[in-house]
Amino acid sequence: MKSSDFFGKLTSKYIWLNLAAMAAVLVVLAVGVKFGIDIYTHHGEAIPIPDIRRKSFADAKHILANAGLLIEVTDTGYVRTLPADCILEQSPQPGDRVKSGHVIYVIVNSGNTPTITMPDIIDNSSMREAMAKLRAMGFKVGPAQFIVGEKEWVYGATVNGRHVVAGDKIPVDAVVVLQVGNGSRSASDSSIDYVEPVYNNSQGDTQGEGEVDEFDVVSPAELPQRSDN
């Protein structure tokens, strides 16, 4: 091919039209991808999150749906003064701005009173140890009830006047009252009322107090000799 022919083809209108068409296609694709990503990610949108706390779950769901947001329950709590299914907490917080379709995570109030298992503190711990353990587990502990016994030793526990033991399920809002010794008996107090046993002899008579069994003392010489044959 002659150089004149090569340069002639480069300057032909057909080649330049093809190049222009290819460039236009690339520009259209780039713009389309950019706007497509913006639409998909809701670029530039900023929806303020409404405050749905202390509202029922149904009302909160309706409010968020009108704002273009979703709702999902992540956990339950318990507040005795609030109705069941009431929204206790939400995340993100009210006023934060999110994109359309964002999920708002909530904690709702439980309709049932949660319970805690009573630990083994009766007759094996002091008042201070028992109270510390109960409070660490979330129990409410009232003033101790003092009874006759070793000082500050836990002898029992009551809830609403009912005796409870280890393993019982106690409502979280119930108050546990420990029954604690008042110190009128020391730990070394071993006073026990003994009763003398009564023995019956072979004739059915009862051996009197202070009587001693009579027996003969036999010397070794008077013992019968054993024959080895």
Side-chain angles (χ1 to χ4, degrees), residues 157-164 170-171 173-177:
T158 62
V159 173
N160 297 326
R162 179 179 62 88
H163 283 275
V164 293
I170 311 299
D173 56 352
V175 178
V176 178
V177 176

Side-chain angles (χ1 to χ4, degrees), residues 127-143:
M127 180 179 67
R128 182 178 297 180
E129 293 170 344
M131 284 186 170
K133 187 170 186 178
L134 290 174
R135 286 168 178 160
M137 294 177 64
F139 285 96
K140 294 181 179 179
V141 183

